Amino acid sequence: MKVYQTNEIKNIALLGSKGAGKTTLAESMLYECGVIKRRGTVEAKNTVSDYFPVEKEYGYSVFSTVFYAEWNNKKLNVIDCPGADDFVGNAITALNVTDTGVILINAQYGVEVGTQNIFRTTQQLKKPVIFAINQLDGEKADFENVIDQMRDIFGNKLVLVQYPLASGAGFNSMIDVLLMKKYSWGPEGGAPTIEEIPADQMEKAKELHQSLVEAAAENDETLMEKFFEQGHLSEDEMREGIRKGLIDRSIYPVFCVSAAKDMGVRRMMEFLGNVVPFVEDMPAPVDTEGREVKPDSNGPLSVFMFKTTVEPHIGEVSFFKVMSGTLTPGVDLDNVDRESKERIAQIFCVSGQIKTPVDKLCAGDIGATVKLKDARTGSAPYVLLPKQTQRSSQLFLPACTKKIPHGKWCSRKNSSKQSSAVRVNYISVPLSGEWKITINFLLYLKNPRFLIARQSPRPPVPTIVIKNNPEAQASLVKYTL
């Protein structure tokens, strides 16, 4: 499998209410990019996303599922999230490691409560949003009514990229106002027939096209000036304007699909590959000191474990995002949350149960590994860092906070009974051979005894003992290698 660089990777979450068709859309996306040769269905219990027995029994997603699509020399990492409110935590976790949310809306039922809830989550996390109106071939589908609901709830940021010539059982064609073409399909869907827009639809298409151009131009002063001078923008300029609008959340593009019949899926994937933000386009996260941590493949390695599952005959499978650096098999890492060592023996790109071994993953990519010793998914981010580095740089540790219940200890030995919370800020590794470790400790001691904090990356290991102090700070602990 090709190794994709950071500027070729896009991370996307499929969101929406239960029954909106996310799993079916995932199946069509995998079919279009060639990962699978035949599309499964939820009814037949043979989809890539819903592979756990409980999901096959209930007929809907219970766990989020990671898959990838190689499309037009881009890698789309997609997470299919459950729509039921009982499992909304999976969607929130997915949004924390993805950069764009595709919210599916059932054309037969319109905007549901779950749709509004997940939209509010994207607002809180400041994630770009694309709407896809699915099941337009359903008997009760009403496109115009759904659009009216969406404008009432989501405001005037909605911009139509496509509209169907007919919704309901007769849905088989639509107008794309970005490309100004008509797309139509046969009964089995698949590859579309692309034609010129019929004369009776030209006026409506031009009106919607103009609205899309204006929305794209509003996000860039240069594009706005060119629009005022020429009255139009090129296709590439519109894509750039829409990308900036997505990042700023000033535009919500609307697409039309029938995932069950594979209609409109290919065109939407083209938009995802060409327009939605890359990993490096999104604002970089910051550490506890307020410094930006950019997804630099040449930077220090840090890995964020966001999901753990247990699969038959394999055991624990840990899903991660490479926050910075480049991950290769066989690397030894420090698990800073559990104060232990981890070896990443193998790394995979996954599509449900399908696991493809890869030689390396660059910053921003999503993958999986198996049989880690101590890495877990929980309330705190688990960040793995290499034991050694040869660069003069800072190793990023996000706010890694873990509350320890009374009667347990933050190390593996359970040797001291107390309640505590520890926040690690950063570790700096200069080339001079001297390590400087800056750590903040916030201690909440139910038994006012003591806390011993051990930081290693290499011996001799400095030991900090804090006695009878509910709040203390240890800074610039130094030793020479």
Side-chain angles (χ1 to χ4, degrees):
M1 179 179 174
K2 175 184 174 182
V3 175
Y4 289 87
Q5 302 302 314
T6 303
N7 60 359
E8 299 174 321
I9 298 169
K10 301 189 178 189
N11 298 322
I12 300 159
L14 294 184
L15 310 165
S17 295
K18 177 183 173 183
K22 300 178 294 298
T23 298
T24 305
L25 176 60
E27 203 73 7
S28 293
M29 293 175 70
L30 289 167
Y31 176 75
E32 286 288 350
C33 68
V35 174
I36 58 176
K37 303 302 180 183
R38 181 182 178 185
R39 290 184 291 131
T41 64
V42 174
E43 293 75 18
K45 302 180 181 180
N46 59 352
T47 61
V48 172
S49 290
D50 293 350
Y51 61 91
F52 280 97
V54 66
E55 295 176 312
K56 295 180 180 180
E57 179 183 354
Y58 291 164
Y60 58 82
S61 298
V62 174
F63 308 102
S64 61
T65 303
V66 179
F67 67 92
Y68 70 92
E70 297 178 277
W71 189 259
N72 291 341
N73 296 318
K74 308 289 192 310
K75 184 183 181 188
L76 309 180
N77 291 314
V78 187
I79 303 181
D80 175 21
C81 304
D85 291 339
D86 294 341
F87 312 115
V88 69
N90 290 271
I92 296 173
T93 300
L95 281 170
N96 276 291
V97 294
T98 54
D99 304 307
T100 303
V102 177
I103 299 180
L104 270 70
I105 296 179
N106 190 328
Q108 301 184 92
Y109 305 118
V111 180
E112 301 176 76
V113 174
T115 310
Q116 298 181 58
N117 290 340
I118 199 62
F119 179 79
R120 282 193 287 268
T121 302
T122 64
Q123 282 183 313
Q124 294 169 1
L125 298 176
K126 300 179 180 179
K127 298 292 183 177
V129 166
I130 295 171
F131 288 101
I133 301 179
N134 190 25
Q135 302 185 33
L136 282 165
D137 57 328
E139 293 183 0
K140 300 178 181 179
D142 188 340
F143 179 80
E144 297 298 334
N145 181 51
V146 173
I147 291 298
D148 290 340
Q149 290 181 30
M150 294 173 67
R151 292 194 189 281
D152 290 340
I153 295 171
F154 305 121
N156 57 7
K157 294 181 181 180
L158 283 176
V159 179
L160 295 184
V161 177
Q162 301 165 342
Y163 70 91
L165 292 181
S167 56
F171 171 74
N172 64 357
S173 58
M174 66 183 181
I175 304 298
D176 190 304
V177 300
L178 175 59
L179 301 180
M180 290 301 286
K181 296 291 182 180
K182 174 188 173 183
Y183 286 70
S184 56
W185 294 268
E188 300 300 323
T193 301
I194 304 175
E195 305 170 310
E196 296 299 323
I197 297 175
D200 61 340
Q201 295 293 325
M202 186 59 72
E203 183 178 352
K204 180 179 180 180
K206 286 184 176 179
E207 181 181 347
L208 292 174
H209 178 78
Q210 190 71 7
S211 299
L212 182 59
V213 172
E214 292 176 2
E218 288 176 355
N219 300 293
D220 188 285
E221 293 184 2
T222 304
L223 294 179
M224 180 66 76
E225 292 176 0
K226 186 172 183 178
F227 173 69
F228 285 141
E229 292 175 0
Q230 302 180 2
H232 64 86
L233 297 175
S234 68
E235 186 178 324
D236 289 339
E237 290 169 340
M238 289 180 64
R239 287 173 175 170
E240 183 62 27
I242 294 173
R243 181 182 295 112
K244 292 181 179 179
L246 284 168
I247 295 172
D248 296 337
R249 287 184 59 90
S250 61
I251 182 173
Y252 305 139
V254 179
F255 284 80
C256 301
V257 296
S258 172
K261 294 184 177 180
D262 192 13
M263 296 181 180
V265 177
R266 180 176 300 189
R267 173 67 187 110
M268 190 178 74
M269 289 181 67
E270 290 176 358
F271 184 88
L272 295 176
N274 295 331
V275 180
V276 301
F278 291 97
V279 173
E280 59 184 8
D281 292 332
M282 296 299 294
V286 297
D287 63 10
T288 54
E289 300 296 325
R291 291 180 295 267
E292 288 189 350
V293 182
K294 296 183 179 180
D296 181 7
S297 296
N298 297 319
L301 176 61
S302 60
V303 180
F304 173 59
M305 298 290 171
F306 67 89
K307 173 181 167 67
T308 303
T309 62
V310 178
E311 297 184 10
H313 312 297
I314 296 177
E316 287 192 355
V317 180
S318 301
F319 296 83
F320 59 82
K321 180 178 181 180
V322 183
M323 303 301 296
S324 61
T326 300
L327 180 65
T328 56
V331 66
D332 290 331
L333 303 172
D334 282 338
N335 186 328
V336 298
D337 188 83
R338 301 179 74 86
E339 298 181 354
S340 62
K341 308 296 182 183
E342 298 280 5
R343 166 159 287 193
I344 306 296
Q346 296 174 293
I347 55 177
F348 305 92
C349 286
V350 296
S351 290
Q353 285 184 303
I354 305 171
K355 296 176 177 61
T356 305
V358 292
D359 295 329
K360 65 178 180 179
L361 293 175
C362 297
D365 214 341
I366 290 176
T369 188
V370 295
K371 299 179 180 178
L372 292 183
K373 181 174 57 176
D374 285 324
R376 299 291 184 272
T377 302
S379 59
Y382 291 88
V383 182
L384 302 178
L385 295 174
K387 291 192 295 186
Q388 302 181 40
T389 181
Q390 297 180 356
R391 300 184 184 91
S392 178
S393 59
Q394 280 189 346
L395 299 184
F396 166 63
L397 295 178
C400 204
T401 304
K402 185 174 179 65
K403 293 183 178 179
I404 309 299
H406 182 61
K408 294 186 178 180
W409 166 236
C410 56
S411 72
R412 298 171 57 197
K413 296 181 179 180
N414 295 319
S415 58
S416 177
K417 296 182 178 181
Q418 56 192 344
S419 177
S420 65
V422 179
R423 183 184 297 272
V424 181
N425 281 341
Y426 68 86
I427 299 177
S428 173
V429 190
L431 286 175
S432 63
E434 183 180 65
W435 290 66
K436 298 180 180 179
I437 304 176
T438 302
I439 306 167
N440 287 336
F441 294 95
L442 301 177
L443 312 180
Y444 305 91
L445 306 182
K446 291 187 176 179
N447 293 330
R449 298 171 66 185
F450 59 87
L451 169 69
I452 301 178
R454 304 177 194 275
Q455 293 301 321
S456 79
R458 298 180 63 79
V461 180
T463 301
I464 309 165
V465 180
I466 304 173
K467 294 184 178 180
N468 300 331
N469 192 347
E471 183 173 353
Q473 177 176 347
S475 61
L476 293 180
V477 180
K478 302 181 181 180
Y479 67 97
T480 302
L481 294 172

